[in-house]
Amino acid sequence: MADVAAAAVGAGSDVNTAGNPTEVAMAYLQDEKTDGDMTNLNLGELDLTTDEFILDEVDIHIQANLEDDLVKEALKTGVDLRQYSKQVESELQRIEQASIKDYIKESQNIALLHNQITACDSILERMEGMLSGFQSDLSSISSEIQTLQQQSVSMNVRLKNRQAVRSHLSQLVDELVVPGAMISTILDSPVTEQEFLEQLHELNNKINFAKELSFRETLACSDIQDIVDRLKLKAVSKIREFILQKIYSFRKPMTNYQIPQNTLLKYRFFYQFLLANERTVAKEIRDEYVDTMSKIYYSYFKSYSGRLLKVQYEEVADKDDLMGVEDTAKKGFFSKPSLKSRNTIFTLGQRGAILSPAELEGPILVPHTAQRGDSRYPYETLFRSQHYALLDNGCREYLFLSDFFMVAGNSALDLFNSIMGKTLSMFLKSMSTYVSDCYDSIAVFLCIHIILRFRAITAKRTIPALDKYWEAVLELLWPRFEMILEMNIHSIRNTDPQKLGVLDTRPHYITRRYAEFSSAIVSINQTFPNERTHTLLGQLQVEVENFVLKMAAEFPSRRDQLIFLINNYDMMLSVLMERAADDSKEVEGFQQLLLARTQEFIEEILSPPFGGMIAFVKEAEALMEKGQLDRLKNEEVRITQLVRGFSSTWKQSVESMSQDVMRSFTNFKNGTSIIQGALTQLIQYYHGFHKILNQPTFRSLAVRSELINLHHLMVEVKKHKPNF
């Protein structure tokens, strides 16, 4: 009980300390209610008549109450519970009274608290009003911001539109306005100054812009039209004067016209300006340039060609200088024909060097220098120099015309022909005159190949200006070359061997002419093959072969005929192989002819000393093939004579044969080859002779022991092989 009272007092003191009578009262009432509920609960739980009574739960509840400290203390002291209940109740009443006194005592504080709470409520109410007003202000500000945003977008669109209009207008104004610097520069500055060229570009742009605006009927265009027109006329006048002055400078003697041409190229925009704004002046300048350069080129090339002809060889071929013409001049063993300059007519020599890249594109001849040095040149050298000058100047002129006058294609070709046409016609006329009386086929053929190479050079440079001229030159040269070649073919065909003087087994001068000429043409033709040339060379070869055979027929003995044929075939083959390819048609043809005649000659020279043995071997081999060798078994006397005759005379015969061969052939190498072939053939025959006598039909012959050992014969024969 004392503990309960103390708890109550403590609770009251807590209330006083807290200064909150309302909360204390509420707590007290709540405790009272709780105690009543607990009592009812206990009684309810102890109601044994209830249908939901569960003994296990009752035991648990009793056990829980017994655990309470107050219950334990009451049970230990043996207190009467009813008495204890009354005591507790009275204590609670006492505490309640004390609590009320505390509430009364604290009533002023409570009233003060009430007043403070009321004041806070009014303040909060005013704040609520302020916040509501602020919220309404924020709503109005949001709408204003949206309005400003819409206005900003609209202003931005208007700004962009104004800027776009401003850019177009500013460009229009800039194009329309004619600056004072432009006016002063066009009027006062020389045309060669860079500033004049820059302002001329600007003026050209303004003229084009004014034309464009005039088509749109822009009113502002009329404000500047007069100024622009006057500036244009002034610029055209100054440009015309400048260009014509440069063109007139070409006409001065000894002028290098390439220098003013290069100057004009630096100011190529001048002509472009004239062509766009004053076509009559542009045409005047173009016509003046064409007229001036046409005369300059014509005068230069006419003078140069005339001076070149003064350094040409004085002796040139005529219609009688043909391959089959008789050479009546006296000549020695190694001498060449001396009819005029026939050695240069049929022999290429160093003339072919003109087709080498170094000479083909080398410096042109300077006629007065050559005259001072008393130098003379063949026609193809003069032709090369003349046409290389044409090629060089023609290519440069075509490029200048294309660049300065801004032309291309057929227009460029027409302009080029209007300048160079007179010069090219003069070239063709001069060449036609020369070619009609030219009989130097090698010179004509070299000229053809010079043109073919020059045409390839212009094609590589992509300059089509001279293509038609090259074709025209070739149309002049090819027929002349073919005609001269056909004349030589006819001259050989109509040659009478009996009118060519004393017969000689050495190479004939006509065949030498052919060999030199054919090798020259074949070597030149290898770079740019021409089928017509091959055909004519084939016809010429046939006629030469026939001529050699006709000449050989003039010799009474077959041996001399063969010597003549071999010497001529060997000479022609040697000359051809110096320049022509080994697999060329001409080389292969003469190789076959030489081989056949050489083999025949070997048989011919073996026949006198060894003819009996050779005839016996051939006869016996023919019978052996038929199985009739027994038909010769009665030829013992013949065989004995052959064996003993060979053994006693073969050395002398071989020596004599070797000396005779070396005397008969002018080419020592060829003579050596024939001797070796003859000795090889002799050994083969003697080997066949051995083979026949070893047959059963002749094994019983005693003369077999006198046969020379084949190996010994080969060793001895090698001693007789000449070394050169």
Side-chain angles (χ1 to χ4, degrees), residues 60 78 172 186 374 391 428 438 443 452 543 609 614 667 669 672 704 718:
I60 293 170
L172 177 64
I186 296 296
D374 201 24
L391 181 147
L428 290 174
C438 176
L452 292 175
E543 296 301 331
I614 294 172
N667 186 344
K669 185 177 179 180
T672 302
R704 289 179 65 250
K718 285 183 180 179

Side-chain angles (χ1 to χ4, degrees), residues 347-350 516 519-520 522-523 526 575-581:
T347 304
L348 185 61
Q350 297 300 317
E516 295 286 354
S519 65
V522 169
S523 63
Q526 287 174 351
V575 174
L576 283 170
M577 291 182 68
E578 290 179 2
R579 297 185 182 275

Side-chain angles (χ1 to χ4, degrees), residues 459-470:
K460 186 177 180 180
R461 296 181 184 178
T462 62
I463 305 294
L466 293 170
D467 288 353
K468 290 185 178 180
Y469 174 74
W470 300 140

Side-chain angles (χ1 to χ4, degrees), residues 369-407:
T369 303
Q371 283 180 306
R372 282 202 301 266
D374 201 24
S375 300
R376 291 293 182 268
Y377 301 94
Y379 177 75
E380 65 271 9
T381 301
L382 310 181
F383 182 88
R384 196 279 320 173
S385 184
Q386 181 187 46
H387 282 80
Y388 187 68
L390 175 65
L391 181 147
D392 192 43
N393 285 276
C395 290
R396 185 182 294 108
E397 186 65 29
Y398 180 81
L399 293 175
F400 174 82
L401 295 175
S402 301
D403 199 0
F404 185 78
F405 291 104
M406 298 178 298
V407 290

